[in-house]
Amino acid sequence: MINCNNFRGPRAVDGKQVKTRFSTAYMEIATHKLFPEIPEEREAADFASTLSGRVRNDQTGAVYECAHDVEDASYTYTEVFPNPRQLSEITISNIGGGFLAKLNTCPYPDYNSNTTYAQGDKVFYDNRVWESDFDENLGNTPTIYGWSYYQLFLEEYPEPDYVTIEEFNTIIDEMAAETAEAEQTEGED
């Protein structure tokens, strides 16, 4: 859902209140589908908050993390999210008793201290991409030992395509069907 809140005070130039518009959405943990709000008949524990949404200006097509307009601006916005086909992973973490969903737009997965990496494996950590220096690399934090700096994340990878919640959920269903079909084909071999 797009939230619209006051941003600081009125502008000194014309006394109009500045509004900020930003996305808040919820991901169903079991299916990775997005919802603008937690459905009334469902349990909040089945959902994770996500901060990965953006707002797209319907008039200009520009995508913003937060859009700022004066109170009587005629702009309208649509809530959008990174195209799931361009994500390297969707991670859901338990943060302070609640769940947070992260849509990773880097082509490499986030570093996980419980994963064993092979030489040459690449991970995203501390806003950079790191490459494992050796096989059986387990528990070594990239900034400390066992990893070489590969490249700065923001310089290399452009923003993904952004899609609406409905398009996001349709793509998630298509990807689930493709995965199920691939698993069935593997089982027949």
Side-chain angles (χ1 to χ4, degrees), residues 149 151-158:
Y149 166 72
Q151 62 190 206
L152 188 63
F153 171 69
L154 296 175
E155 290 179 357
E156 181 66 19
Y157 306 107

Side-chain angles (χ1 to χ4, degrees), residues 22-25 48-54 65 81-82 100-103:
F22 58 95
S23 165
T24 57
S49 300
T50 180
L51 306 174
S52 301
R54 303 284 190 266
E65 284 189 46
F81 296 85
L100 180 66
K102 179 185 176 204
L103 308 179

Side-chain angles (χ1 to χ4, degrees), residues 7-169:
F7 178 70
R8 298 189 183 146
R11 292 195 317 188
V13 176
D14 54 15
K16 294 182 179 180
Q17 181 67 51
V18 177
K19 304 282 186 176
T20 182
R21 290 174 176 84
F22 58 95
S23 165
T24 57
Y26 300 90
M27 177 172 281
E28 186 176 31
I29 295 170
T31 65
H32 290 174
K33 288 187 176 183
L34 291 173
F35 293 82
E37 297 179 86
I38 297 173
E40 287 185 26
E41 69 278 1
R42 302 290 305 278
E43 295 291 324
D46 295 336
F47 292 85
S49 300
T50 180
L51 306 174
S52 301
R54 303 284 190 266
V55 290
R56 181 174 56 211
N57 183 305
D58 296 329
Q59 286 70 38
T60 66
V63 175
Y64 304 99
E65 284 189 46
C66 293
H68 298 98
D69 294 317
V70 292
E71 60 189 330
D72 59 355
S74 60
Y75 292 125
T76 58
Y77 295 87
T78 301
E79 188 173 31
V80 291
F81 296 85
N83 184 330
R85 292 195 183 278
Q86 296 175 331
L87 301 174
S88 61
E89 65 182 348
I90 296 173
T91 56
I92 297 177
S93 304
N94 189 341
I95 308 288
F99 291 98
L100 180 66
K102 179 185 176 204
L103 308 179
N104 189 352
T105 58
C106 174
Y108 305 110
D110 286 337
Y111 168 73
N112 182 333
S113 62
N114 297 318
T115 300
T116 301
Y117 297 97
Q119 183 174 2
D121 284 351
K122 294 175 183 68
V123 296
F124 182 64
Y125 180 80
D126 196 27
N127 287 330
R128 295 183 181 197
V129 176
W130 300 85
E131 185 173 16
S132 176
D133 293 335
F134 50 85
D135 289 331
E136 302 297 320
N137 191 349
L138 174 64
N140 297 308
T141 304
T143 55
I144 304 209
Y145 173 76
W147 297 85
S148 295
Y149 166 72
Y150 184 67
Q151 62 190 206
L152 188 63
F153 171 69
L154 296 175
E155 290 179 357
E156 181 66 19
Y157 306 107
E159 283 288 305
D161 296 329
Y162 286 93
V163 297
T164 64
I165 285 180
E166 294 78 14
E167 293 167 324
F168 187 97
N169 290 342

